[in-house]
Amino acid sequence: MSDRSRQAIGFVLIAGAALQVWLWSQQVVSGDQLALLEPARAFADDGTLAPFAKRMSGGGKVPGALLPLLVGLPLAVWNDDRAPAILMGLSQWAAVAILASILARRLGPKMTAAYLAVYWLSPWRIYHSGFLWEPGYLLLPAAVHFLCCERLRHERGRAASAGLGAVLACTMQLHGSFLVLLAATAWLAWKRRLRLHVLAATAGAGLGALTLVPTALAWLDGDLPRIAPERDVAMSAPLLAGGNVLKTGAYWLRLGSPDIGRRLRQVADPASAHIDVAPPTAPGPLGAALVRAIAGLALLGVAISAFASWRYLRAPPGGQAAEVRDYSSACLIGALVAAFVSPVPIQGWHLIVVLHAACLPTAAWLVEAFASHSGRRRALGAAFLVVQCAASIAIAIGHPMYAGGGGVP
């Protein structure tokens, strides 16, 4: 690895980690955070594992004791509402280490550096890195899923098969978007891109399902949550399915870009976030105008992401790059399938589980842009990264979920 690539990777990792630590120190605890903390308190106080976590938008509650355990363990060590977000943040550091190792081995240092710039500094990742929310836990299982699928591409490994089974069983207990990874796995297996050891995968799934034992006991006792679905679930199924598929395609392109939509607009107008605490002071006219300009440029970045995805996913087969591309395609297909069967309208946080895969096309485009002899292409690549960093910094210093940041001056 060249010194320049090593320096670029180091700078990106340190910058992303520093922003994350800053966000953690400024986080707001309200709403969904309190709903996650409540069942975890029982474990922290007396070791009781709740059979369910917080309510899901489609009705019912997240099954299993894994989420209460992940939230409750840090509380048992440090009785502070900010403690669980430390473990969540560390899981994201583990995720980026896994992703970087895969790409460095498969595609080399330049692609690794470009990918980390897109993924680790993404405003989507930055926003979900500093406060407690179940989508923030999804980056690690997504990275492990990538690792296991990559290992199973060429050999029927028992360890990788067990890991794949375990990660699917565990992700089911974190968020309903586990269906995306399940559908992606099924697609890769159907296309014979996975050499799965079925017995090992089953054993791994059984190990990951151990935290479902309290749920099973609650079911046997007839103690199941009965929560009426939200109003959105009553929408016409064909209309909902079609709209979800279209939205998922749009979100895929946005995940590979700096455009995080209303999260940036909420920086310019904190009151629009509707969080359960008093919003921070709104930025002045100049600050609001600056944030809106960043949001507009970030929206233009979706065009680059769309072009990058179009080129990346239609590239001819062959080589190690094709293997990574197959995985990215499988995640997109998995997201579309899960969106089609979803009982609720798809939102951005439902697709954080494929952020790692959606950033691959943009990273490949950046490598080509900076290797080009065209000064315009290199300038466009640099502008893309500048806008991405500006969007992430705006989120870090001004979003109401990080109200301690004091807003944009």
Side-chain angles (χ1 to χ4, degrees), residues 310-334:
W310 177 74
R311 288 197 60 191
Y312 186 76
L313 297 178
R314 67 187 290 271
Q320 291 184 326
E323 297 178 6
V324 175
R325 190 162 53 242
D326 283 346
Y327 178 81
S328 182
S329 300
C331 285
L332 174 57
I333 291 168

Side-chain angles (χ1 to χ4, degrees), residues 266-356:
Q266 288 166 353
V267 175
D269 180 18
S272 66
H274 303 297
I275 60 175
D276 298 334
V277 297
T281 303
L286 183 59
L290 176 60
V291 173
R292 292 190 180 100
I294 294 171
L297 292 171
L299 186 59
L300 292 177
V302 178
I304 292 177
S305 176
F307 176 74
S309 282
W310 177 74
R311 288 197 60 191
Y312 186 76
L313 297 178
R314 67 187 290 271
Q320 291 184 326
E323 297 178 6
V324 175
R325 190 162 53 242
D326 283 346
Y327 178 81
S328 182
S329 300
C331 285
L332 174 57
I333 291 168
L336 294 172
V337 170
F340 185 80
V341 301
S342 172
V344 295
I346 293 296
Q347 303 294 335
W349 64 84
H350 295 146
L351 296 169
I352 292 299
V353 72
V354 292
L355 175 64
H356 67 304

Side-chain angles (χ1 to χ4, degrees), residues 1-7 9 104 108-110 112:
M1 184 181 296
S2 68
D3 289 342
R4 180 175 295 181
S5 296
R6 187 180 294 108
Q7 289 170 1
I9 290 172
K110 290 183 179 179
T112 304

Side-chain angles (χ1 to χ4, degrees), residues 143-153 159-160 163-164 167 194:
V144 174
H145 182 266
F146 188 6
L147 176 64
C148 292
C149 290
E150 187 260 342
R151 294 285 174 84
L152 292 171
R153 176 88 181 201
L164 188 58
V167 79
L194 290 181

Side-chain angles (χ1 to χ4, degrees), residues 28-386:
V28 167
V29 178
S30 68
D32 284 321
Q33 293 71 54
L34 295 175
L36 285 167
L37 288 166
E38 183 180 352
R41 286 276 176 205
F43 175 79
D45 293 341
D46 56 23
T48 302
L49 273 177
F52 305 96
K54 66 185 285 290
R55 178 178 176 175
M56 296 189 293
S57 54
K61 291 186 177 181
V62 177
L66 180 60
L67 199 49
L69 187 64
L70 290 174
V71 179
L73 277 173
L75 285 174
V77 175
W78 181 32
N79 188 19
D80 189 290
D81 288 347
R82 297 170 297 171
I86 296 177
L87 181 59
M88 187 199 75
L90 290 175
S91 76
Q92 295 190 9
W93 293 9
V96 77
I98 291 170
L99 294 171
S101 68
I102 295 172
L103 294 180
R105 184 175 63 252
R106 286 291 184 182
L107 302 180
K110 290 183 179 179
M111 179 62 177
T112 304
Y115 177 78
L116 294 180
V118 177
Y119 170 81
W120 191 239
L121 297 181
S122 166
W124 293 89
R125 205 283 303 183
I126 293 296
Y127 174 77
H128 290 90
S129 70
F131 71 96
L132 181 65
W133 199 21
E134 60 268 33
Y137 287 102
L138 296 176
L139 274 64
L140 179 56
V144 174
H145 182 266
F146 188 6
L147 176 64
C148 292
C149 290
E150 187 260 342
R151 294 285 174 84
L152 292 171
R153 176 88 181 201
H154 299 289
E155 62 181 47
R156 189 174 285 107
R158 287 184 173 86
S161 296
L164 188 58
V167 79
L168 291 174
C170 289
T171 310
M172 178 179 67
Q173 302 172 63
L174 297 176
H175 198 266
S177 58
F178 85 96
L179 286 171
V180 176
L181 297 184
L182 182 63
T185 305
W187 175 264
L188 287 168
W190 181 61
K191 299 294 287 185
R192 298 187 178 181
R193 300 290 192 269
L194 290 181
R195 303 184 66 184
L196 196 65
H197 191 288
V198 178
L199 185 60
T202 303
L207 183 64
L210 287 177
T211 42
L212 284 169
V213 170
T215 309
L217 294 175
W219 179 74
L220 290 174
D221 291 340
D223 185 20
L224 289 177
R226 291 179 173 84
I227 300 177
E230 293 184 355
R231 182 178 57 185
D232 290 335
V233 182
M235 292 175 62
S236 168
L239 179 64
L240 179 62
N244 275 345
V245 169
L246 292 175
K247 286 178 68 177
T248 296
Y251 273 124
W252 173 270
L253 302 180
R254 291 177 58 198
L255 286 169
S257 81
D259 177 38
I260 193 172
R262 64 188 174 93
R263 305 301 183 191
L264 266 177
R265 295 193 296 272
Q266 288 166 353
V267 175
D269 180 18
S272 66
H274 303 297
I275 60 175
D276 298 334
V277 297
T281 303
L286 183 59
L290 176 60
V291 173
R292 292 190 180 100
I294 294 171
L297 292 171
L299 186 59
L300 292 177
V302 178
I304 292 177
S305 176
F307 176 74
S309 282
W310 177 74
R311 288 197 60 191
Y312 186 76
L313 297 178
R314 67 187 290 271
Q320 291 184 326
E323 297 178 6
V324 175
R325 190 162 53 242
D326 283 346
Y327 178 81
S328 182
S329 300
C331 285
L332 174 57
I333 291 168
L336 294 172
V337 170
F340 185 80
V341 301
S342 172
V344 295
I346 293 296
Q347 303 294 335
W349 64 84
H350 295 146
L351 296 169
I352 292 299
V353 72
V354 292
L355 175 64
H356 67 304
C359 290
L360 285 165
T362 307
W365 175 84
L366 276 176
V367 171
E368 292 182 4
F370 286 119
S372 172
H373 295 296
S374 168
R376 290 183 178 179
R377 289 189 67 184
R378 292 196 301 271
L380 189 59
F384 180 93
L385 292 179
V386 168

